[in-house]
Amino acid sequence: MAIYLDFEQKIKQIQEDIISAEVRHDEHAVEILQKDLEKEVTKTYKNLSPFQELQLARHLDRPYALDYINLMMTNKYEIHGDRHFRDDAAILCYLGYIGGERVLVIGEQKGRGTKNKIKRNFGMPHPEGYRKALRAAKMAEKFNLPILMLIDTPGAYPGLGAEERNQSEAIARNLLELSMINTPTVSIVIGEGGSGGALAIGVADKLAMMRYSVFSVISPEGCAAILWNDPKKVEAATKALKVTSSDLKEFDLIDDIIEEPLIGAHRDKEGAANALKEYFLSQVTSLRALSESERMEQRYNRLTSVGAFEEDV
Amino acid sequence: MSILDLFGNANKKTSKSDASAHWVKCKSCQSLMYYKEIEKQQFVCPKCGFHMRIGVNDRINILVDKDSFVEFDAGLKPVDPLRFVDKKSYVKRVEEGIAKTGRNSSVVSGECTINGIGTQLVVFDFAFMGGSLGSVEGEKILRAVTRAMEKRQGVIIVSASGGARMQESTFSLMQMSKTSAALARLAEEGLPYISLLTDPTMGGVSASFATLGDIIIVEPGALIGFAGQRVIEQTIGSALPEGFQRAEFLLEKGSIDMVVNRSEMKNTIADLLGIFLDQEPMTATRRREDSDDSDDDHEEEYKQSKILY
């Protein structure tokens, strides 16, 4: 069953009408309704509030990392474990091919359905997840595989075991090591980019966001609780934090926005996967055109030039 | 209540306005002490060893050779890229921070000597917006690390921070990767970075440069962690064990190299820099005599530190 948000109710109605028209084999009605649908979707998505974009980024029908992996990769093998503590199912690592390109894909996986959500810890990695990702990235460097990282997490897990095993260090180590990893790297926010837990696989040559994904320093819920002292101020916090892809592009904090199919990634997973795949392959091609030192210098400048400040001389 | 209010008592005991109040009460053992006396003790309670939070000036005085500190990049000032307003505007919070501390940011950075060894020093000021990490703070760290590479020096960062500054959202988040990338280059140059963690060091600061030191030193009893204690309690639905996320806990878990008393801090750091840079530190006046470490002594120290918290 498809899930519809409150501002998608008209879209839902038209889609249901299309289905019944199809059942009646009324092709003329289907054609008209398809046009209506296009109009309605365009109208709805053109005027989304930041909070609505947040809801889309968290939409339960949105493609997760594993959906993209299944749709994009061929001859793929999942690799497991940090070699020290355990395998963290909230982070996936896959070796295989995208197009003709040998690749490593690292992705944060939220899990669909209660059982999988629990298995994946709702996409909130433990330190061993980040360490697995780094181990895989080092292997990719060794064999000169480009790395695609798919960000989709509410944040790194805040729990006892995570603290005991040094969540801070696991994230920090990835930030440091990924800045130096000598192979083309592309990170893409596919849904929710929650704080340090997202950034830990967000250090790359290129950072992009799917159109209806979000990225912020803290979850709007957390921000509302701390700064407004009122968890109900989520809408205000979402707006203030400037979490949408267009906000981040405007601030030059990301390189690109990947456009989703007209009807949204959550209604057309294949279309979304094709757009992402095309983007990734074109980025790898242009990164390969640079010399190693040019690529590393460009990455360093990209990472270290971030900031908004004034200076009195 | 904001996250800043959570730590509202920071530096209270050492701020100028309170210096005129002659008596200070130890937060741990409740002993009353004469301010001048506790100042001489580097704000460590002589009765129970509790390390009080201290401000930037006191911190610098404790760590560096007299009059050797020269500040850099003091002209960097925060802007408000998001035009962020919650219950108060970011602009207003910055103004309050400036009024409170006389500085534009939560970081003071510069060059100094420590027992004669030239060093780039970065100190966080918890009194300025909870020591939060924003664009100015990240830029100061980048520049300090860059200077260290030019001058072939080591870097010391003294952290005291609630984490990334929410009011700068993703700008502040990306200071984590900015500072970490700079430290990666410092490491490639074979230059040392010593991270000194003080009470409290949390969130985005803890999850970036603070845990990347070649050596990580923590003051006794300091609270260090990724997630805040309240958030963890809400997540797991129960109270946290005693001493959780404290310096001694981190030492036991293998997350840090050493817990060092404030009185030993300068010599310890100078000696470590000397070993890494192959430079002889100037002999300090209160130099610790080398003695063999004993398992029993360590156990004793550990027990004592546990009693404190």
Side-chain angles (χ1 to χ4, degrees), chain A residues 163 168 229 241 306 310-311, chain B residues 1 77 143 169 206 227 245:
Chain A
E163 293 289 327
S168 289
N229 216 348
L241 283 168
V306 176
E310 287 174 350
E311 185 164 20
Chain B
M1 190 173 73
K77 290 194 300 201
R143 292 186 187 184
S169 197
S206 163
Q245 292 182 324

Side-chain angles (χ1 to χ4, degrees), chain A residues 147-159:
Chain A
I147 305 173
L148 169 63
M149 293 175 270
L150 303 175
I151 297 168
D152 193 12
T153 180
Y157 188 64

Side-chain angles (χ1 to χ4, degrees), chain B:
Chain B
M1 190 173 73
S2 82
I3 193 157
L4 307 179
D5 298 326
L6 281 177
F7 306 108
N9 288 330
N11 306 311
K12 204 169 181 180
K13 293 181 182 82
T14 57
S15 71
K16 273 184 192 149
S17 58
D18 282 343
S20 53
H22 296 291
W23 293 92
V24 179
K25 193 179 190 181
C26 173
K27 227 170 81 180
S28 178
C29 73
Q30 315 296 323
S31 304
L32 275 176
M33 285 156 287
Y34 195 50
Y35 182 86
K36 288 278 169 207
E37 197 49 44
I38 192 78
E39 192 179 21
K40 269 188 222 152
Q41 306 286 329
Q42 300 177 327
F43 303 95
V44 176
C45 175
K47 300 239 169 59
C48 71
F50 178 74
H51 282 56
M52 299 174 184
R53 290 181 183 178
I54 57 173
V56 172
N57 293 335
D58 290 320
R59 177 67 64 187
I60 292 173
N61 287 339
I62 287 169
L63 284 181
V64 312
D65 298 338
K66 197 165 186 299
D67 300 327
S68 74
F69 183 77
V70 181
E71 186 174 359
F72 282 96
D73 306 320
L76 287 173
K77 290 194 300 201
V79 294
D80 181 17
L82 276 55
R83 300 178 197 284
F84 196 99
V85 180
D86 50 275
K87 287 204 282 194
K88 243 182 227 176
S89 70
Y90 179 35
V91 172
K92 181 91 177 124
R93 287 188 197 271
V94 168
E95 278 169 11
E96 288 173 359
I98 293 170
K100 194 168 160 193
T101 64
R103 294 192 169 96
N104 295 326
S105 81
S106 74
V107 155
V108 177
S109 59
E111 193 173 330
C112 65
T113 60
I114 301 180
N115 288 355
I117 300 179
T119 305
Q120 295 297 323
L121 177 68
V122 175
V123 181
F124 272 75
D125 184 356
F126 200 80
F128 191 100
M129 290 191 76
S132 55
L133 172 67
S135 297
V136 170
E137 291 74 17
E139 181 69 15
K140 283 189 178 183
I141 292 173
L142 172 72
R143 292 186 187 184
V145 173
T146 307
R147 277 195 301 274
M149 289 191 277
E150 284 161 8
K151 299 186 169 183
R152 306 292 307 165
Q153 293 174 337
V155 175
I156 316 280
I157 303 181
V158 185
S159 297
S161 172
R165 186 172 299 163
M166 281 176 283
Q167 290 85 352
E168 290 189 24
S169 197
T170 314
F171 280 98
S172 72
L173 181 70
M174 289 186 179
Q175 302 309 307
M176 294 167 63
S177 37
K178 173 171 175 164
T179 52
S180 302
L183 288 169
R185 290 234 161 153
L186 186 79
E188 279 230 319
E189 293 287 324
L191 294 167
Y193 161 43
I194 295 175
S195 175
L196 169 54
L197 310 183
T198 69
D199 188 55
T201 299
M202 307 298 293
V205 167
S206 163
S208 58
F209 55 86
T211 41
L212 291 173
D214 292 302
I215 299 289
I216 302 174
I217 304 176
V218 187
E219 283 199 327
L223 184 74
I224 314 292
F226 175 66
Q229 298 214 326
R230 261 200 324 194
V231 173
I232 301 174
E233 283 181 340
Q234 279 165 11
T235 307
I236 64 172
S238 65
L240 295 170
E242 212 183 309
F244 187 71
Q245 292 182 324
R246 295 285 172 188
E248 299 72 20
F249 169 91
L250 298 175
L251 186 65
E252 188 190 311
K253 295 293 172 192
S255 299
I256 59 169
D257 290 286
M258 48 186 98
V259 178
V260 174
N261 285 324
R262 201 169 280 164
S263 58
E264 291 296 324
M265 197 63 81
K266 181 181 176 184
N267 288 340
T268 303
I269 288 175
D271 285 352
L272 291 168
L273 285 174
I275 290 168
F276 288 137
L277 292 165
D278 197 13
Q279 286 180 35
E280 185 93 13
M282 273 165 19
T283 313
T285 44
R286 285 184 303 103
R287 184 108 180 152
R288 181 176 67 126
E289 286 301 312
D290 259 339
S291 60
D292 291 340
D293 284 334
S294 122
D295 281 345
D296 296 342
D297 283 348
H298 185 74
E299 188 78 359
E300 264 318 297
E301 274 172 34
Y302 178 65
K303 268 186 201 152
Q304 274 183 7
S305 59
K306 264 203 163 163
I307 293 165
L308 294 181
Y309 301 96

Side-chain angles (χ1 to χ4, degrees), chain A residues 8 27 45 67 100 103 112 116 123 173 184 189 195 228 234 250 252 273 279 306:
Chain A
E8 294 181 308
E27 276 157 30
Y45 288 1
D67 296 314
V103 293
R112 190 160 272 127
N116 284 322
R173 187 64 52 196
V189 187
S195 194
W228 275 265
V234 180
E250 197 188 311
D252 227 7
Y279 177 80
V306 176

Side-chain angles (χ1 to χ4, degrees), chain A residues 219-288:
Chain A
S219 71
E221 285 80 4
C223 182
I226 294 170
L227 288 183
W228 275 265
N229 216 348
D230 180 359
K232 292 194 197 84
K233 298 281 188 202
V234 180
E235 284 199 56
T238 310
K239 194 166 167 235
L241 283 168
K242 301 280 193 288
V243 301
T244 68
S245 60
S246 44
D247 286 330
L248 271 85
K249 180 69 184 124
E250 197 188 311
F251 291 133
D252 227 7
L253 290 167
I254 57 169
D255 296 297
D256 296 292
I257 295 173
I258 303 173
E259 291 300 337
E260 298 184 11
L262 181 68
I263 197 155
H266 57 301
R267 305 267 180 259
D268 181 4
K269 294 187 175 63
E270 289 80 7
N274 281 335
L276 196 152
K277 176 179 166 180
E278 198 181 304
Y279 177 80
F280 171 68
L281 291 175
S282 73
Q283 292 307 315
V284 170
T285 305
S286 50
L287 288 167
R288 282 256 169 77

